Each structure stands twice: as structure tokens, then as C-alpha cells.
Amino acid sequence: QGDKIKELRFLLRSLVTGCKNVIYGLKRCDSMLGVGMEPQTNAVKTEDADAAGAKGTTESASGTSVISEAAMQDAELVGFELDLLASLFREGLRACRINDIERVKAEVAADSKSDSKGDDKLPSDTTATNGTSGNASCSDSCESGDGSNSDSSHVLSREAQIKMLDREDKEQIEQFANLFVGLDLTVFHELFTSQFDYAFNAMIEHCTAISCVQVFVASDPNSPAFISIMLRYLCDRLDLLGSDNEVCTSTMLHLFKVAFLALALYPEANEPVLQPYVQTIINSALSIPKNAKNPKNYFLLLRALFRSIGGGRYESLYKEVFPVLQNLLETLNSALGFTKLASSMQELFVEICLTVPVRLSVLLPYLSLLMKPLVFALESGPELVSQGLRTLELCIDNLTREFLDPILTPVMDEIMSSLWLHLRLPSSASTHAP
């Protein structure tokens, strides 16, 4: 079986190389792949205008008829080429599953162990491995997984699954994705707007498809267009992030993280793309969890967003946070009152509060709402303690005593107790020393 898999991978590599040469040749001729969709339309309009100016009404009418016929032929050609590209993309993603065989083996082995203990439930990815989810919508894939998470202790995270791919497999997947990188931007946008739903279901089915996304995001000319398509698709389905289908939700979270990390690659190009979705993500993360089966995912999404846009580089994104800042801090403070001490949810809420991406001058009217999270941070693990100390230092260095003392007074005893404890512990002194 191992030799057969190697043979199939070699065959797939040869097919991708052949397709690359074909697409390169089409781009050099009078094809939509090379000139895009708009130039052809503009050329038809120009010919129409020239014909109308040079001839009389009757001749113009006949000329328009001829040009309209040519325009219809061009439209048919564009549609035909798009269909070919869509078919290539869909079938290519299906073929790339051969590189995901190691993950499938690991899940089958885990399922065998659970079956040996008397567990009669279906494997977590049964629908996907049978290939039926490729025709389903994102909602169907996520909502039909109610049973997939009931025995999800053996389901690997998306990051772990991607790490299981060896270097040769990743190179082959990237080679396939690069077939589409050089397309005209209008063609690229049209193609992936129509095919992203299929792509998302393919990512749920096998993690190799996610490697294609990373190639598109890292490509300079295509990155803003692809991130725009991906964010629009994901934000329209944010209610699915709280479902109990772990495979679907982990895929959504991973894609959001990829989109956020793209800011570091091309900040000037991708910052305007993310800007319209910042408030949508924050508002959804505050409202949807009330009725969600797995509310933690929404706060993991908020943490990923704040970590990516923090640091003072993205002024336009900070302006999007300001209108929802008060509601955000009040909601998180209220949630802290209902979480267990030292729980993962409490630490998550505290980190989000202390990493809200706004300027200190904007935060001043709501600074009292940070005191409760600050106390929790100083009483938590090393990472949150460091974040709490940085927040406290920022306030002391930049604010006057007259302004800060009334805010600190209600929690001064807890803060001093925590600071004294860290001073007494040798490990804390070495970890948090300047």
C-alpha cells in the first residue's frame, strides 16, 4: 500500500506540473487568464462607441448587433474558462487528500482503540472521509457534526494535523496552490468567491487544503483579495463558531488566525481589508455566546484578534474598537464574576481586557473597568502576571497621582498583596525583573 501511495503522489506531482505549463501558455495568449475580465468588456464598449460615431443610425444598429454577438461569445468564453478553473481547483483539492493519509491513519487508529473499549459511535470525520461533505454547505458540515464531538478526545487540532505533513507533502500542495497565484486579480476574485464554500468544506474534510490558503495569503498581489473573500465568508457564519463540531470550529479559528497574521506580512494592503470586520467580530463575540453550545471559541477569536492588531501599528483598526470599548469591558467584567477562580475562562477574559487594542488616552474614561482584571492577572500564572505588571507600569508612568489614586484605591490592598507575594518568591523576582 505504501508503494501505491508513493506512485499516486508522483502522478499528482506530474499532473500539477503539466497544468502549470498549460496555464502559463494561456496567460501568454488572448485569454481571460492573462488579460482579465474587465479589459475584454472595455474593448467591446470602445468598438461600440467608434462604430456609433463613424456610421449612421442604421449602420450603427447593425454594428451594435455584430458587437453584441461578439460580446456574447466573449462572455461565453469567460464563463467556460472560469468553469475549467473551478473544476481544476475542486478536483485538485480532492486529489491532494493523498497527502493527508497519515492523519487519516492516526484517526483510524484512535477509532480502533475506542471501538475496542466498547464505543460504538462513528468516527469523528466519517462523513468527510467518505467524501460526501464536498457537496454540502458550511452550515450542513458544522451542524451535522453534533455527534462528531461527542467522542472528540482523540481529534487532533488543526495545528497538530498540519504539523504531521512532511516537507515533501507541503511542497506538493504549495505547487498546486501556485497554479492560481498568477491569475489576473479579477479572475482570482471571481473564482474564489464562488468556490470558497467548497474550499471550506474541503478544509474540514482534510487539513491539506488549509496549506493552499496559507499560500494565497502569503502571495503579495492576491493576499488582500483572498483575505477579503475569506473574512466575508467566515463573518457571515460566525454563529457556527459556537457549535459542538470541533473539526468545523477549529478550522474556522485557524482561518481567522491566518487572516489576522497576514497583517504582519502586508500591513498597508491588509489593514483596510480587516477594518470593516473588527466591530462585527467583537459584537458577535459578545452577543452570540449567550446561546452557543461552545462559547469559549468566541473569546479565543477575540484574543487572537487583539494579539494580532496590538502594538500600536494599526491606527484605523483601533478606531473601530473605540465605539464598542465600553460594552466590551463591561461585559467581560460581568463575566469574570461568574467564572471559577484560576479557570481557563477567567484567564482568557483577563487577557482580553488587558490587551484591548486602543491608546491609553482613549482608555482613560474606562480605566476603572481594568482594575478587577488587573488584580486577577497579578494573582495568575507567569504570563498574565507579566501582562498585569506591564499594564500597571504603563498607568503609573503616564498618569498623574491625582488621576490614578482614586481609581486604584478600591483595589489597592489586593494589588499590594500580590506585589508583595511576587517580591517574596525568588522565581517571580527572576521572571519579572526588568
Side-chain angles (χ1 to χ4, degrees):
Q1 187 179 5
D3 293 338
K4 189 174 295 185
I5 292 174
K6 289 181 180 179
E7 183 179 343
L8 290 173
R9 288 177 175 174
F10 178 77
L11 179 60
L12 177 60
R13 188 179 299 110
S14 301
L15 289 172
V16 170
T17 302
C19 290
K20 180 180 179 181
N21 295 330
V22 171
I23 291 180
Y24 177 77
L26 288 173
K27 286 170 60 179
R28 294 176 61 88
C29 68
D30 187 17
S31 167
M32 173 196 70
L33 304 184
V35 301
M37 300 167 68
E38 292 297 329
Q40 292 181 349
T41 306
N42 293 337
V44 171
K45 291 180 179 179
T46 303
E47 291 178 31
D48 193 3
D50 292 342
K55 300 182 180 181
T57 306
T58 305
E59 294 177 351
S60 175
S62 62
T64 303
S65 175
V66 173
I67 294 172
S68 298
E69 202 175 306
M72 289 177 63
Q73 292 176 354
D74 285 342
E76 290 177 0
L77 178 62
V78 168
F80 175 70
E81 291 185 1
L82 274 175
D83 288 343
L84 282 180
L85 285 174
S87 178
L88 174 63
F89 179 70
R90 294 164 73 98
E91 298 304 323
L93 281 185
R94 290 181 61 190
C96 284
R97 286 190 61 194
I98 192 67
N99 298 298
D100 202 25
I101 195 68
E102 298 301 326
R103 194 267 300 176
V104 174
K105 287 181 179 178
E107 290 194 354
V108 170
D111 289 333
S112 299
K113 290 181 181 179
S114 63
D115 289 340
S116 65
K117 295 179 182 180
D119 188 356
D120 296 326
K121 295 177 182 178
L122 291 175
S124 64
D125 204 16
T126 304
T127 304
T129 52
N130 287 338
T132 57
S133 68
N135 297 325
S137 65
C138 166
S139 301
D140 294 337
S141 298
C142 291
E143 292 175 358
S144 64
D146 291 342
S148 67
N149 197 39
S150 57
D151 186 30
S152 60
S153 59
H154 65 271
V155 176
L156 299 173
S157 68
R158 272 299 181 247
E159 288 78 6
Q161 292 176 14
I162 292 174
K163 288 179 181 178
M164 291 183 67
L165 298 173
D166 58 31
R167 183 176 59 83
E168 185 178 350
D169 292 338
K170 289 182 179 179
E171 288 178 353
Q172 184 168 344
I173 297 163
E174 291 172 0
Q175 185 182 15
F176 168 71
N178 281 323
L179 292 176
F180 306 92
V181 166
L183 297 178
D184 176 82
L185 281 179
T186 55
V187 179
F188 183 89
H189 190 276
E190 183 74 17
L191 173 65
F192 286 101
T193 298
S194 63
Q195 296 303 312
F196 196 86
D197 186 66
Y198 181 89
F200 181 79
N201 283 283
M203 294 175 216
I204 294 177
E205 183 180 339
H206 57 97
C207 68
T208 51
I210 297 179
S211 299
C212 292
V213 170
Q214 294 171 336
V215 172
F216 299 142
V217 168
S219 172
D220 186 10
N222 306 105
S223 183
F226 189 80
I227 290 175
S228 176
I229 295 169
M230 184 163 65
L231 285 176
R232 187 186 310 117
Y233 182 90
L234 294 174
C235 287
D236 286 345
R237 294 158 178 80
L238 273 172
D239 57 316
L240 300 177
L241 189 60
S243 70
D244 57 358
N245 185 338
E246 187 175 344
V247 178
C248 173
T249 56
S250 65
T251 301
M252 291 184 72
L253 279 173
H254 186 79
L255 292 180
F256 271 117
K257 290 177 182 178
V258 170
F260 299 156
L261 291 175
L263 279 173
L265 294 176
Y266 310 108
E268 293 183 1
N270 289 328
E271 184 177 353
V273 176
L274 178 58
Q275 184 178 355
Y277 300 100
V278 172
Q279 286 192 25
T280 301
I281 292 173
I282 295 176
N283 288 327
S284 298
L286 297 180
S287 59
I288 299 178
K290 299 173 184 177
N291 302 314
K293 296 179 180 179
N294 193 359
K296 185 177 181 179
N297 288 332
Y298 293 97
F299 299 104
L300 292 173
L301 175 60
L302 267 187
R303 183 177 68 178
L305 174 64
F306 288 176
R307 283 181 174 182
S308 299
I309 68 177
R313 298 179 58 189
Y314 310 108
E315 195 65 39
S316 64
L317 301 184
Y318 302 157
K319 293 178 181 178
E320 295 296 318
V321 178
F322 174 67
V324 296
L325 178 59
Q326 182 176 0
N327 183 36
L328 171 66
L329 293 177
E330 289 177 349
T331 302
L332 292 175
N333 269 265
S334 176
L336 279 172
F338 296 99
T339 55
K340 296 181 180 179
L341 291 175
S343 65
S344 60
M345 286 296 288
Q346 183 192 76
E347 293 180 354
L348 187 56
F349 294 150
V350 169
E351 182 178 351
I352 294 172
C353 286
L354 297 184
T355 55
V356 173
V358 291
R359 304 289 183 189
L360 181 60
S361 58
V362 174
L363 194 57
L364 291 181
Y366 316 106
L367 198 59
S368 60
L369 294 173
L370 288 186
M371 294 302 104
K372 186 176 179 180
L374 177 61
V375 170
F376 282 124
L378 294 176
E379 297 173 350
S380 301
E383 185 176 345
L384 277 181
V385 169
S386 297
Q387 183 64 52
L389 290 174
R390 286 195 298 269
T391 303
L392 185 60
E393 181 183 14
L394 179 69
C395 294
I396 294 174
D397 288 346
N398 294 278
L399 302 176
T400 64
R401 180 175 180 179
E402 292 75 16
F403 180 85
L404 190 58
D405 279 356
I407 297 174
L408 286 177
T409 298
V411 294
M412 184 62 74
D413 291 341
E414 292 91 337
I415 290 177
M416 295 306 295
S417 298
S418 299
L419 293 177
W420 177 246
L421 178 63
H422 290 300
L423 287 173
R424 292 179 60 189
L425 294 175
S427 59
S428 294
S430 59
T431 302
H432 307 299

